[in-house]
Amino acid sequence: MGFLLKARRNLSTVGELLGFFTENKRWWILPMILTLFLLGALIVVAQSSAIAPFIYTLF
């Protein structure tokens, strides 16, 4: 639990989000947020790279 408190102090927005998850016991939301973030990063990278045709075949 000490790690979470240190992370909460050092990272303002992410720390607030971690604090919300710990206080309200909403840990099940983290995999969804992480998946959405990774999917968004993949879309941004795919728009401006040579691997775009290969990524578009996945969808």
Side-chain angles (χ1 to χ4, degrees):
M1 201 49 105
F3 170 75
L4 291 175
L5 291 175
K6 285 183 184 178
R8 187 175 177 182
R9 274 187 249 126
N10 291 335
L11 306 169
S12 60
T13 304
V14 176
E16 289 286 328
L17 195 59
L18 283 174
F20 171 77
F21 290 148
T22 52
E23 291 171 9
N24 296 317
K25 305 212 186 319
R26 303 276 189 213
W27 290 106
W28 55 271
I29 298 175
L30 280 177
M32 288 189 282
I33 290 175
L34 195 65
T35 303
L36 286 173
F37 177 75
L38 290 174
L39 185 62
L42 179 68
I43 289 171
V44 168
V45 168
Q47 288 180 352
S48 62
S49 70
I51 61 169
F54 301 109
I55 292 175
Y56 289 130
T57 59
L58 295 175
F59 299 104

